[in-house]
Amino acid sequence: LGCTLYEMCALKPAFPANTGRIETDLKQVMAQHKLVAQRMAALPSCYSSKLTEAIAMCLIVDQGERPGCKALLHVPDVAEWAATFEVEVPE
């Protein structure tokens, strides 16, 4: 989810791999994924720091530390977006 959100906002892949060889590209992406929390490039300035934080939360490698959908819906910018589309946010 984090990679998808990042790409939607930045209009480019979070971790481009350009070798043309699927095995090499997958290994490169997996290695980069391990470092993503420290190395995620900033989103364009039109996006808030809260959205950047929400995406970074989605990119936490340890699944036990990554927030679920319910927690993400309580991030202020995500909650605002959800309200725009009348998405019911659980308590």
Side-chain angles (χ1 to χ4, degrees):
L1 178 60
C3 289
T4 301
L5 290 173
Y6 180 90
E7 190 166 344
M8 289 171 60
C9 294
L11 301 177
K12 62 182 181 181
F15 306 107
N18 301 322
T19 67
R21 294 181 52 205
I22 293 174
E23 278 184 18
T24 304
D25 289 351
L26 286 175
K27 287 178 184 176
Q28 180 181 353
V29 169
M30 289 171 60
Q32 288 175 332
H33 180 70
K34 291 179 182 179
L35 299 173
V36 70
Q38 296 102 8
R39 301 178 72 199
M40 185 177 92
L43 290 175
S45 61
C46 61
Y47 296 104
S48 72
S49 61
K50 293 291 184 192
L51 180 58
T52 300
E53 290 172 24
I55 292 173
M57 289 167 43
C58 292
L59 294 172
I60 294 172
V61 176
D62 185 344
Q63 184 178 3
E65 292 184 27
R66 244 187 340 255
C69 291
K70 190 175 185 181
L72 285 173
L73 285 170
H74 288 281
V75 172
D77 286 5
V78 177
E80 183 179 326
W81 172 85
T84 301
F85 292 98
E86 299 179 359
V87 173
E88 199 169 308
V89 179
E91 291 295 323

